[in-house]
Amino acid sequence: MNLGRWGGVVATLVVASIVVGYLSLKRWTHLTGSTMGTTYQIHFEHSGYVGLSDLEWDIEALLQSVNQQLSTWDKDSWISEFNRSAVGEEVAVPRHAWEVLQCSLVVAEASGGAFNPASLGLFDLWGFGPRKIKVTSQPPLETIQQIQKGCNIGNLFLDEANQSLKKLSDGLQIDASALTKGYAVDQIAVILEGSGLQNFSIEIGGEIRVSGKDPNDRNWEVGLQVPADYDGPAPVVELVQQSIATSGGSQDFIRIEDTVYTHIIDPRTGYPVTADQSLFSVSVIAPHCILADALATACFVMGMEESEVFMRKFPDCEVRFILHENPTINLVRSQ
Ligand code: AMP
Ligand code: MG
């Protein structure tokens, strides 16, 4: 018997089983980067069989593609081109923009116009749009009303059969920033799931989606931001295969005299939501992050009472309100 040959076979088998063992070992990876004027954080558990550089490349390519379609800050994006299109001109809608627009229109209709993606004119007027106008005093009422008229979403015509969009009136401009981050989070989840990953969390600028378990093999938990002057514990939300998105006035605002105006505008009045209301933030928990993102913005416009009625239209979603006043008692309210 040739022991030398058997020895070689055994050694090869041992090396192969070490390699297989190593490749099957589960570990956690953290990816981070910048997109949409904010940052993203992705945590996922994977084995050595998963090609990390391919995954990173796919995620970066996805984010670029979403931005190329939906960033109003990029004058060459699809949405900026649509905003420059002539009245009646039929513009073909690419895939990401199509999905985001469809969700926008559902929430716009359900909210009776509190959520309105055709309000870019108003966002710009108050200094929150891509024209980056510096606003130091309230725009005149007539100007607000005139621009508000141009934001009538009824003048946006989405042709389902041709997957195209046209504006029926001059001055109408769209913006999908209220739900694009959530949409991108969902699309990254599709990429991770496509690589066979089950345990992960994805966050873009505070909009989050989780799957499976966290690194401690427990359900994922997300801490909600509290007002700066509140020193109690942050409320925590447990998520199971869910998403959470938060809207509030603490990220982006302007101050005019003594009033703080948030970047979220009530298209029904033409005025931004002011920070002096009792509501600090709204978080919506939903199966998909795109819907959570759109609903959180809508609820911040509507305030607590109106939102509680509105949210009944979305039975698989939940809403949490964080109040400025008396946060220890009424910090979180759910449906
Ligand atoms: P979010 O941070 O997700 O609440 O989104 C805020 C962004 O959504 C703003 O910067 C605007 O671009 C846009 N936005 C503000 N108000 C509204 C509204 N009432 N309906 C739809 N989009 C809005
Ligand atoms: Mg939102």
Side-chain angles (χ1 to χ4, degrees):
M1 187 155 86
N2 184 344
L3 280 179
R5 210 178 91 205
W6 282 109
V9 171
V10 171
T12 309
L13 285 175
V14 169
V15 170
S17 64
I18 290 172
V19 171
V20 169
Y22 176 75
L23 286 174
S24 322
L25 258 187
K26 296 279 186 160
R27 69 196 95 136
W28 282 83
T29 287
H30 174 212
L31 301 179
T32 183
S34 309
T35 187
M36 304 177 191
T38 182
T39 56
Y40 67 82
Q41 314 277 341
I42 306 169
H43 293 85
F44 54 93
E45 189 190 39
H46 63 99
S47 68
Y49 292 112
V50 171
L52 287 183
S53 45
D54 284 354
L55 210 54
E56 270 187 77
W57 196 91
D58 288 350
I59 291 168
E60 275 301 325
L62 177 267
L63 292 171
Q64 267 186 33
S65 164
V66 171
N67 273 317
Q68 277 160 7
Q69 294 182 24
L70 289 163
S71 170
T72 46
W73 300 88
D74 173 0
K75 62 178 179 20
D76 297 323
S77 65
W78 173 84
I79 201 165
S80 298
E81 270 179 33
F82 173 78
N83 285 337
R84 288 192 297 270
S85 68
V87 174
E89 184 185 338
E90 232 173 78
V91 180
V93 186
R95 182 173 80 87
H96 300 310
W98 182 257
E99 291 193 28
V100 164
L101 272 169
Q102 283 197 314
C103 183
S104 294
L105 295 183
V106 167
V107 177
E109 191 176 343
S111 69
F115 184 91
N116 181 358
S119 308
L120 184 62
L122 284 172
F123 308 153
D124 256 330
L125 177 70
W126 286 94
F128 297 113
R131 283 169 63 209
K132 295 184 193 154
I133 298 164
K134 186 148 178 52
V135 176
T136 50
S137 58
Q138 267 201 21
L141 182 60
E142 311 80 71
T143 313
I144 296 174
Q145 286 173 338
Q146 188 203 343
I147 293 191
Q148 197 187 9
K149 269 195 215 134
C151 300
N152 180 354
I153 199 166
N155 289 329
L156 191 63
F157 181 69
L158 194 67
D159 184 336
E160 298 270 344
N162 293 325
Q163 206 157 311
S164 68
L165 187 69
K166 66 181 169 190
K167 47 175 95 155
L168 306 177
S169 77
D170 208 11
L172 187 138
Q173 296 201 312
I174 58 171
D175 170 281
S177 311
L179 72 174
T180 300
K181 289 198 292 264
Y183 171 74
V185 165
D186 287 334
Q187 291 299 301
I188 293 174
V190 170
I191 293 176
L192 298 184
E193 282 163 357
S195 293
L197 306 184
Q198 288 166 347
N199 297 323
F200 57 78
S201 73
I202 306 160
E203 183 249 339
I204 302 181
E207 322 303 19
I208 299 168
R209 175 165 170 159
V210 305
S211 171
K213 301 287 181 183
D214 74 3
N216 298 316
D217 205 29
R218 304 228 299 256
N219 285 341
W220 290 93
E221 287 185 339
V222 172
L224 301 184
Q225 202 192 335
V226 288
D229 55 359
Y230 173 68
D231 56 9
V236 170
V237 175
E238 185 178 288
L239 299 177
V240 180
Q241 303 298 115
Q242 284 165 311
S243 302
I244 186 165
T246 301
S247 281
S250 63
Q251 310 125 317
D252 197 3
F253 55 84
I254 53 168
R255 196 181 292 273
I256 300 174
E257 288 154 16
D258 284 339
T259 307
V260 173
Y261 294 92
T262 75
H263 67 305
I264 297 176
I265 305 224
D266 188 342
R268 302 168 301 183
T269 62
Y271 285 78
V273 178
T274 56
D276 61 8
Q277 62 159 349
S278 59
L279 198 52
F280 169 71
S281 69
V282 181
S283 296
V284 172
I285 300 160
H288 289 92
C289 204
I290 184 173
L291 186 60
D293 199 357
L295 294 179
T297 307
C299 289
F300 193 70
V301 173
M302 288 188 275
M304 229 161 66
E305 278 165 32
E306 210 184 331
S307 297
E308 287 187 64
V309 177
F310 164 70
M311 286 297 291
R312 291 184 200 144
K313 296 180 182 168
F314 299 90
D316 55 351
C317 304
E318 287 172 42
V319 59
R320 312 269 169 178
F321 303 105
I322 292 194
L323 310 178
H324 278 289
E325 296 301 318
N326 205 3
T328 48
I329 293 170
N330 222 346
L331 193 59
V332 175
R333 284 191 50 183
S334 60
Q335 268 181 307

